[in-house]
Amino acid sequence: MPRPIRCIINQSAVAHNLAIAKSLGGQAQLYAVCKADAYGHGLDNVLPAFAQADGLAMIEIEQAVKARQLAWTKPILLLEGVYDAEDVRTCEQYDLSVVLHHRSQLSLLNRPLAVFLKINTGMNRLGFSMAEAGELLHRLQTRCLSLTLMSHFARADENMAVLPVYQSMQALSRLWRLPMSLCNSAALYRGLKTDIGRPGIMLYGSSPIVEKAAKQLDLRAAMTLEAKIIGLQELEAGQEMGYGGTYTVTRKSRLAIVACGYADGYPRSAGNRAHVVLHGRRLPLVGRVSMDKLCIDVTDCAQAGFGDWVELWGPNMPVDEVAAAADTIAYELLTAVHARVVKMLSTQLK
């Protein structure tokens, strides 16, 4: 039988979160960001839930081809554009839009494609400066099927930090009479308007802004990571648990061993800091997370038993909270779930 750990994907939660994004976006088109195999959820799992999206945005060209093979007919935007001439041919064949962020890509664009010109407005990662925009727009106007201005916020989770970027891009958009793609999940919550929005993390149920939890934003967890209890131990006060003895019980305790570890994608740094949910109760994770197992204190949960499913993150234990305990972000946890963890849809549960 397969190892008792699973990753459950809830398509209705994804569809609900997309509806929230659309309500925030107003008249904007929304391209659902599904890079990194849909933030670790599996493109084939979430694609049906994106039916009301106006397009997709991703990094990997092979995933774009897969989306077309799965009968997605709406626009697909490659967020890092093309890397070589073969990519350009693939883009033409599969009707893919591309981001242009470096001059070396100009020589590759020998076929008419829909182009998003990326402007660097403070992220200082990819894109052209505002000073270069005029020259590039002049060169591209007659070479593209369509042309859109694009940028990416570096600090959209901070309320007022987005305004200078938004205003400068808005001015450029009006000057050249071109549509603008700007708003990520956080910017949509900040109330900014754009022609094409690119929501990402909110679609999967994680909060994109620092001051509010996902539940406060009416976002629903799209992924549940859960594993079974595969062992139980009775410890006396003073005994240690796990590698390095980082946890010492202070009373007679009952500890449960759960079939999930850092090789499955659960963060090792969450040891002695995170919580799980079992039988509706929050219970502490104790000791170090090991490669294949972690331990929880079930002393105060009398009904805990061998074979019980433990929610490591999901609707009752927000992934944002687990990420905070591990001093990281939800993006990392969601995309780090290992391939050995079986992914299944919530509708497949018996």
Side-chain angles (χ1 to χ4, degrees), residues 270-330:
N272 292 314
R273 299 171 65 185
H275 288 77
V276 303
V277 170
L278 174 63
H279 295 305
R281 300 187 61 137
R282 287 172 55 95
L283 299 171
L285 190 155
V286 297
R288 283 182 178 162
V289 175
S290 57
M291 184 179 290
D292 311 298
K293 291 171 277 294
L294 55 79
C295 181
I296 57 175
D297 189 336
V298 296
T299 308
D300 297 324
C301 185
Q303 65 268 51
F306 185 91
D308 287 350
W309 285 104
V310 177
E311 183 180 313
L312 304 167
W313 66 66
N316 304 299
M317 175 48 58
V319 67
D320 293 319
E321 185 176 331
V322 181
D327 196 25
T328 185
I329 55 177

Side-chain angles (χ1 to χ4, degrees), residues 165-181:
V165 173
Y166 180 73
Q167 291 167 348
S168 61
M169 286 295 294
Q170 195 173 48
L172 187 64
S173 174
R174 288 171 177 168
L175 177 64
W176 285 86
R177 298 181 180 178
L178 290 173
M180 177 176 65
S181 175

Side-chain angles (χ1 to χ4, degrees), residues 35-36 57-64 77-91 96-110 113 118 126:
K35 59 185 178 178
M58 57 183 65
I59 297 289
E60 312 88 350
I61 197 166
E62 64 273 15
Q63 286 279 287
L77 175 63
L78 295 177
L79 293 168
E80 288 181 357
V82 294
Y83 307 111
D84 56 30
E86 184 179 350
D87 285 349
V88 176
R89 291 190 290 271
T90 302
C91 288
L96 308 178
S97 306
V98 300
V99 168
L100 178 67
H101 62 80
H102 193 273
R103 288 183 181 273
S104 64
Q105 294 173 314
L106 281 169
S107 61
L108 297 174
L109 296 181
N110 54 6
L113 300 175
K118 188 160 191 176
L126 298 178

Side-chain angles (χ1 to χ4, degrees), residues 176-219:
W176 285 86
R177 298 181 180 178
L178 290 173
M180 177 176 65
S181 175
L182 192 59
C183 291
N184 56 9
S185 297
L188 289 174
Y189 272 107
R190 301 303 183 198
L192 301 187
K193 303 302 178 185
T194 188
D195 298 295
I196 301 174
R198 307 188 309 275
I201 194 64
M202 68 174 294
L203 301 179
Y204 307 98
S206 173
S207 174
I209 54 178
V210 295
E211 67 268 26
K212 288 189 177 180
K215 187 175 182 180
Q216 293 175 286
L217 302 175
D218 194 26
L219 297 176

Side-chain angles (χ1 to χ4, degrees), residues 8-77:
I8 303 165
I9 309 302
N10 188 326
Q11 290 180 336
S12 64
V14 178
H16 168 84
N17 297 336
L18 175 62
I20 296 291
K22 289 181 75 70
S23 70
L24 295 171
Q27 298 302 309
Q29 294 185 54
L30 291 186
Y31 285 18
V33 179
C34 49
K35 59 185 178 178
D37 201 20
Y39 287 50
H41 293 66
L43 180 65
D44 50 346
N45 291 329
V46 302
L47 201 58
F50 288 150
Q52 298 305 310
D54 300 291
L56 304 177
M58 57 183 65
I59 297 289
E60 312 88 350
I61 197 166
E62 64 273 15
Q63 286 279 287
V65 172
K66 180 179 179 180
R68 289 290 187 231
Q69 293 169 341
L70 290 169
W72 181 267
T73 60
K74 298 178 186 179
I76 300 176
L77 175 63

